[in-house]
Amino acid sequence: MTRLLYLECTSGISGDMCAAALLDVGAREEVVRAALESLDVEGFSVDIARVVKSGLDVCDFNVVLDAAHENHDHDMVYLHGHGQGGGGDCDHGHAHGHDHAHEHGHEHGHGHGPVPDGGHRHRGPREIEAIIEGAAMTEGAKAIARRIFALVADAEARVHGVPVDQVHFHEVGAVDSIADIVAIAAAVDDLAPDGVVVADLPCGTGTVRCQHGLIPVPAPATALIAEICGLPLTPVAVEGELVTPTGAAVAGALRTADALPERFAIRRIGMGAGKRAYDTPGILRAMIIEPLA
């Protein structure tokens, strides 16, 4: 019997939303935690809990950074350009925000250019590859994690006009992104679907903060990943970054189909909470479905 994983991204997709939804739809927490605890990465812990989002009981996957790695990923005033706090050059939220590997923040941290700055530790593709290789995951899960990071690195290289091997991810962004992507890879491998459906991705409006200031949504890396993978984008009148670079890379790396079967049965449903407060439910719904004849 064919089992498909359907990621319903009507509120967007980010690393933490996806990890939470996959856990909620049936990936084993012990498998995900074993992978995360084996990483040769310092400065984070992970909280997995139930929260109420838009009146619904959903799973929350929260990468908790220590004081040295804290950022403003969920500080809406800072992210969208109205705040005073810290300019985008220090250890603030990704360079955009969610889940990237950006320069600073969570999920955004766009890659840097070829020259790491200011004494902060940076990680390049080879360092991240070594972290993935040393993780307590199956070879299948490692392959998924590599595909996701490769998309982010390729997009960041194109954004900055440098070879892929010269892309560097700021320590703050890399820690958050590594945790999200490894959790997702371990969870998808544990679920072992026969395919993954991503029907469309909502493209929000406005701007989001990166290391170099405010940039339009979708962020350059997100847009490039959509181009590389042929991801279907749907314009929506919601101000905010609904799809982060990590979210786009996850969708691009996992997607095997962009349309649902004509008829299907739902076998399991999981819901993952987003952290940002936008004018959407802020939930990623994952379903295990079986096509019907």
Side-chain angles (χ1 to χ4, degrees), residues 62-139:
N62 188 26
V63 177
V64 182
L65 302 175
D66 66 16
H69 298 83
E70 188 49 81
N71 59 54
H72 292 277
D73 182 50
H74 308 129
D75 180 343
M76 304 302 290
V77 172
Y78 172 78
L79 284 175
H80 295 286
H82 308 297
Q84 313 291 325
D89 293 335
C90 301
D91 298 325
H92 286 88
H94 320 289
H96 315 253
H98 251 180
D99 297 278
H100 302 248
H102 292 292
E103 203 30 79
H104 318 265
H106 259 190
E107 269 205 68
H108 273 293
H110 313 223
H112 216 79
V115 182
D117 64 325
H120 293 292
R121 181 179 179 183
H122 289 68
R123 298 182 191 273
R126 290 184 181 178
E127 288 83 358
I128 292 175
E129 168 71 21
I131 290 169
I132 292 171
E133 182 58 33
M137 299 192 290
T138 67
E139 289 304 313

Side-chain angles (χ1 to χ4, degrees), residues 18-32:
C18 190
L22 295 173
L23 286 162
D24 205 34
V25 83
R28 290 174 292 173
E29 182 176 336
E30 59 268 28
V31 171
V32 172

Side-chain angles (χ1 to χ4, degrees), residues 18-27 50 57-59 268-272 286:
C18 190
L22 295 173
L23 286 162
D24 205 34
V25 83
R50 308 300 302 181
D57 175 63
V58 301
C59 182
R268 292 202 62 163
I269 297 174
M271 294 187 288

